[in-house]
Amino acid sequence: MNQSESEHYMDLALEEARAAGLIGEVPIGAVIVHDGQVVGRGHNLREHSQDSTLHAEILAIQEACMTLGSWRLEDCDLYVTLEPCPMCAGAMINSRIRRCYYGAPDPKAGAAGTLVDLLSDQRFNHQVEVVAGLKQAEAAGLLQNFFRGIRAKRKAAKKARQEGSA
Amino acid sequence: MNQSESEHYMDLALEEARAAGLIGEVPIGAVIVHDGQVVGRGHNLREHSQDSTLHAEILAIQEACMTLGSWRLEDCDLYVTLEPCPMCAGAMINSRIRRCYYGAPDPKAGAAGTLVDLLSDQRFNHQVEVVAGLKQAEAAGLLQNFFRGIRAKRKAAKKARQEGSA
């Protein structure tokens, strides 16, 4: 996999992340690639679904399993804009993902090296190769803008409440 | 929660596990209880669905989220016959499950104390209390019988092939 190819797939994951942001979800996106084809994609849908399991990676893995007709995603690479949490890292181990490219590290829940390192733990029956920091600035920027927007909205709402009760 | 109540809910999880075994899936089952009511249940469906994410706990969590209309399962307890893998332990953290009762430990993928201990890791934003070994013998027995049956079938098939080619 050369640099421009992996950047292209991360661009698709960033597109997914922006799709999440547009509907008010934390902007995280993922795609899965098999033999040069995108076989699964997903973006965070936790709030719209009110389902805690619907992270970008889980949706992408479920779609890839359906596309390939198998729970074994053995020659598949997963691209995700934010370092996976334990649930999503565990799902990658369970589905035998070959390689995980991620954008920004996650200091709060990162399970691919930041808080724990599940993907390279030799005690599990599969290890996932990790490439960290691909298009990190862009992935982190999306998240920063999203949370900045939320804080601005909260501040404006508070100001409006204070003015209303004055 | 008294002993007989928690045993009753583990019996329901064991029922789910048997339902999985009856259709040839590895017999693992889970239920989620909120305020004395079962709000989610599930059994392993990996082979039938060919979806690596469809473990008993994930299905039970998804159903509980739907039942309660929220991704936050804050006062919910999850009963599962086998110690959760990293994916399922991560899903419990993500959904703020209060307590996890499990039956048999899993030496190959246990993420609630056996290989890793995700549920009590203070660095994540939620911890899940763990009660291990509830109805352990029964849960382990189901799994042992299942794998014994598979080995017997394989042996019989091999013998039939050898006799056929003799």
Side-chain angles (χ1 to χ4, degrees), chain B residues 51-123:
Chain B
D51 182 330
S52 52
T53 71
L54 296 192
H55 284 195
E57 301 96 310
I58 298 292
L59 288 160
I61 287 172
Q62 291 180 334
E63 190 173 281
C65 288
M66 204 183 292
T67 304
L68 299 174
S70 173
W71 63 259
R72 289 178 187 83
L73 304 179
E74 271 162 346
D75 296 312
C76 292
D77 297 332
L78 187 149
Y79 294 77
V80 59
T81 56
L82 183 68
E83 183 181 0
C85 76
M87 174 180 76
C88 294
M92 290 180 213
I93 297 171
N94 291 348
S95 53
R96 318 277 196 266
I97 290 282
R98 178 173 60 184
R99 199 175 294 125
C100 168
Y101 296 82
Y102 74 78
D106 184 357
K108 289 187 179 168
T114 296
L115 290 190
V116 287
D117 188 0
L118 295 172
L119 297 181
S120 69
D121 191 321
Q122 298 286 326
R123 296 170 302 168

Side-chain angles (χ1 to χ4, degrees), chain B:
Chain B
M1 174 77 57
N2 63 41
Q3 178 76 1
S4 70
E5 263 184 282
S6 58
E7 286 186 351
H8 165 67
Y9 295 125
M10 187 58 89
D11 279 337
L12 298 182
L14 286 161
E15 260 180 30
E16 286 291 326
R18 279 187 283 269
L22 281 173
I23 57 168
E25 298 274 359
V26 177
I28 305 166
V31 301
I32 296 179
V33 179
H34 177 258
D35 252 351
Q37 300 292 318
V38 174
V39 292
R41 38 200 311 166
H43 53 262
N44 176 31
L45 283 175
R46 185 181 68 175
E47 300 300 330
H48 278 68
S49 63
Q50 284 297 310
D51 182 330
S52 52
T53 71
L54 296 192
H55 284 195
E57 301 96 310
I58 298 292
L59 288 160
I61 287 172
Q62 291 180 334
E63 190 173 281
C65 288
M66 204 183 292
T67 304
L68 299 174
S70 173
W71 63 259
R72 289 178 187 83
L73 304 179
E74 271 162 346
D75 296 312
C76 292
D77 297 332
L78 187 149
Y79 294 77
V80 59
T81 56
L82 183 68
E83 183 181 0
C85 76
M87 174 180 76
C88 294
M92 290 180 213
I93 297 171
N94 291 348
S95 53
R96 318 277 196 266
I97 290 282
R98 178 173 60 184
R99 199 175 294 125
C100 168
Y101 296 82
Y102 74 78
D106 184 357
K108 289 187 179 168
T114 296
L115 290 190
V116 287
D117 188 0
L118 295 172
L119 297 181
S120 69
D121 191 321
Q122 298 286 326
R123 296 170 302 168
F124 296 116
N125 66 349
H126 179 74
Q127 287 75 47
V128 180
E129 195 187 318
V130 174
V131 180
L134 182 64
K135 297 211 164 219
Q136 175 173 341
E138 205 169 329
L142 273 181
L143 289 161
Q144 283 155 3
N145 286 339
F146 178 80
F147 288 113
R148 195 176 294 135
I150 284 185
R151 283 192 299 272
K153 269 186 203 160
R154 281 194 189 143
K155 208 170 160 183
K158 193 179 168 189
K159 198 178 165 197
R161 277 198 307 277
Q162 285 170 336
E163 286 174 357
S165 65

